[in-house]
């Protein structure tokens, strides 16, 4: 059972998401929060697999709540998905940098919501949709010219190549096809890269790839 916490200050929004999620045999809503402080408390109390987190909430907002959850070693298994009204939102990029595993627009289709929860719960990140890549490209491009991160020195040339493809939004299977590898080998490379760089998931690899200058917005488009 995938355990989900809903964090949104609008009761009707939470009710709508609960209705969709609770209709699935493999998903259960274990708590609701109306602000970031409650969301963090519920993350500690319930240890959910996924927190669906609105950004704009009174008091402690979703950005700060996301940072507090993703930097707490006790909550290492908890994944945060940002809920937003607008896909091109500075705060969404900030949330991804803070450790969120991806984002969903609030008017997303029910099947996309369910898919997103399942994807994040199994340890992947919501970075495949073109809108997510566009978001990261847009706001990474606003930053000053990136300097190569010394963290990347730990990577082999092959791992750098794989990380660049992750940054472009390719899945493990797509990376395997491009580099003529088996899917298992591709997955191993990605896991090893995340371990070496100390990042939580693929979303963080995408951010680091842009901010270190490994790839630039629009690369491979």
């Amino acid at each position: 059972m995938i355990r989900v916490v809903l964090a949104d200050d609008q009761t009707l929004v939470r009710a709508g998401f609960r209705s969709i999620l609770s209709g699935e045999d493999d998903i259960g809503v274990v708590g609701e929060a109306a602000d970031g402080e409650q969301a963090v408390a519920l993350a500690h109390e319930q240890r959910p697999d996924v927190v669906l987190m609105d950004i704009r909430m009174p008091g402690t907002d979703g950005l700060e709540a996301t940072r507090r959850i993703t930097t707490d070693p006790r909550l290492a298994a908890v994944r945060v998905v940002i809920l937003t009204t607008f896909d091109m939102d500075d705060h969404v990029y900030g949330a991804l940098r803070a450790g969120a595993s991806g984002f969903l627009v609030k008017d997303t289709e029910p099947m996309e919501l369910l898919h997103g929860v399942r994807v994040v719960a199994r340890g992947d990140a919501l970075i495949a949709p073109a809108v997510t890549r566009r978001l990261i490209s847009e706001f990474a491009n606003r930053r000053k010219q990136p300097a190569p991160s010394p963290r990347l020195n730990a990577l082999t040339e092959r791992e750098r190549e794989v990380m660049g493809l992750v940054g472009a939004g390719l899945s493990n299977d797509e990376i395997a096809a491009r580099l003529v590898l088996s899917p298992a080998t591709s997955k191993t490379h990605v896991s090893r890269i995340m371990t070496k760089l100390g990042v939580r998931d693929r979303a963080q690899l995408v951010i680091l790839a842009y901010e270190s200058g490994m790839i630039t917005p629009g690369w491979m488009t």
Side-chain angles (χ1 to χ4, degrees), residues 28-45:
V29 176
V30 297
E32 296 186 25
D35 58 42
E37 198 69 36
Q38 293 178 12
V40 175
L42 277 172
H44 281 281
E45 177 185 330

Side-chain angles (χ1 to χ4, degrees), residues 19-195:
S19 176
I20 294 170
L21 296 170
S22 298
E24 301 298 303
D25 293 337
D26 62 331
I27 300 175
V29 176
V30 297
E32 296 186 25
D35 58 42
E37 198 69 36
Q38 293 178 12
V40 175
L42 277 172
H44 281 281
E45 177 185 330
Q46 297 292 339
R47 304 297 168 96
D49 301 294
V50 179
V51 177
L52 293 178
M53 181 84 74
D54 186 24
I55 290 180
R56 292 176 174 82
M57 293 184 289
T60 301
D61 64 15
L63 182 60
E64 175 60 22
T66 296
R67 184 179 295 110
R68 286 165 59 179
I69 290 172
T70 59
T71 58
D72 191 330
R74 295 169 296 177
L75 303 177
V78 178
R79 295 291 182 262
V80 177
V81 175
I82 295 300
L83 299 173
T84 181
T85 304
F86 306 104
D87 57 23
M88 299 306 290
D89 186 330
D90 286 26
H91 295 296
V92 176
Y93 182 65
L96 292 172
R97 292 189 72 242
S101 295
F103 80 97
L104 289 168
V105 179
K106 286 187 179 181
D107 62 358
T108 188
E109 293 295 325
M111 290 306 296
E112 186 175 350
L113 170 66
L114 296 171
H115 172 72
V117 168
R118 291 178 175 122
V119 164
V120 171
R122 68 172 181 250
D124 293 328
L126 292 176
I127 63 167
V131 67
T132 307
R133 295 198 297 272
R134 188 176 76 245
L135 173 92
I136 294 170
S137 296
E138 171 71 17
F139 294 113
N141 198 35
R142 295 183 188 178
R143 298 172 64 85
K144 62 184 180 180
Q145 186 64 29
S149 171
R151 297 164 67 187
L152 302 182
N153 294 335
L155 303 182
T156 65
E157 285 302 313
R158 172 61 89 184
E159 288 169 345
R160 285 172 176 264
E161 189 174 14
V162 170
M163 182 174 170
L165 295 174
V166 170
L170 273 64
S171 67
N172 286 345
D173 288 347
E174 290 168 335
I175 292 171
R178 182 174 289 271
L179 299 181
V180 194
L181 304 171
S182 71
T185 299
S186 173
K187 182 177 181 180
T188 297
H189 277 310
V190 173
S191 297
R192 191 170 294 155
I193 292 166
M194 289 193 292
T195 298

